[in-house]
Amino acid sequence: MAKVLVIGSSGQIGVELIEQLAKIHGSSKIIASDINLNLNRNLQGVTYLKLDVLDKIKLLEVIKKYNISEVYLLAALLSAVAERNIQLAWDLNMKGLFHILDLAKEKYIKKIFWPSSIAVFGPTSPKLITPQTTILEPSTVYGISKMSGERWCEYYFLKYGVDVRSLRYPGIISYKSPPGGGTTDYAIEIFHSAIKKGRYECFIDKDIELPMIYMDDAIRATLELMNYERKKLTVNSSYNISGISFTPKEIASCIKRTYPNFSISYKPDFRNEIALSWPSSIDDSYARKDWNWSHQFNLEKITSQMLEGISNSEA
Ligand code: AKB
């Protein structure tokens, strides 16, 4: 029986995606791999493997051994850490993708999910309701790798018929697993800090509005896209996807409704520049039209889920 391989399974998205994939396919069908396995989070029945996506020989071995048909390639360096590790970011974000695309071209894999990001947009892209097709001049290492990756995904689909599907994720908010070095991470740190310390020092300015999505919506979008009929999909690179948009000031005032003494201060660092280069809001009408996408979590609902989830997990 064909199986599903998740590469980068210990990361923020990986941990929650594995849970959902195990529910859909059965845990014995899921192979979870990461270069740094987090053995505390193991799900019963799932096979956990240490795997470096840059090691193509081992990758092929795993794909053959477990009869993998579908791959979720989540291993990547995000925007903030990528700025400090340019070469590693390029190697991991691009070579990892090439390995998987080539294995699909050689017919070892049938279907791929590869996440792109709103980081493909840059200072010259329209800032508001940023369209699916527009100027893409990213100013970050991460954004450059995601933009190039999108072009390669479309190329492999058109030239070789590789079934690769992708979403341009906004900042993803969740509490079950820590985020991995992105610019939108402030919108997660703020909840942990509100509960533990009653205050938060934010690394981007109070009025910078960024697109965000709650993890449950992001996972649902991913699985909906992966299970939709390929011939009905009209975007072969990566779909814009949107949940909500807010500023640090807005999220802080939402937290204050539950924690009236919570305070926020601002000390922008290099991540402020990155945030300024990204859109404030996203037009995801292609996703809505092509596969009926719609988000379910607004800021109030996200805030209550985050505060409750973090409090319960720390109790
Ligand atoms: C980041 O901040 O780097 C990521 C992203 C928007 O892709 N969360």
Side-chain angles (χ1 to χ4, degrees), residues 78-80 117-119 142 169-172 181-185 278:
L78 298 186
S79 58
S117 161
I118 54 157
Y142 175 63
Y169 286 138
I172 300 180
T183 303
T184 56
D185 293 5
W278 288 350

Side-chain angles (χ1 to χ4, degrees), residues 59-118:
L59 189 58
L60 180 56
E61 244 174 64
V62 168
I63 284 167
K64 282 183 176 166
K65 176 171 175 192
Y66 292 98
N67 191 17
I68 300 295
S69 67
E70 204 168 300
V71 173
Y72 292 77
L73 173 54
L74 305 177
L77 244 54
L78 298 186
S79 58
V81 279
E83 288 305 302
R84 305 216 144 134
N85 301 276
I86 295 179
Q87 194 59 52
L88 175 63
W90 182 255
D91 285 350
L92 178 61
N93 296 4
M94 295 310 302
K95 277 194 201 154
L97 175 61
F98 266 114
H99 286 171
I100 298 298
L101 287 173
D102 281 333
L103 290 173
K105 179 184 157 202
E106 291 154 23
K107 309 280 182 230
Y108 290 107
I109 309 164
K110 289 203 177 72
K111 210 194 263 185
I112 303 167
F113 177 79
W114 174 78
S116 186
S117 161
I118 54 157

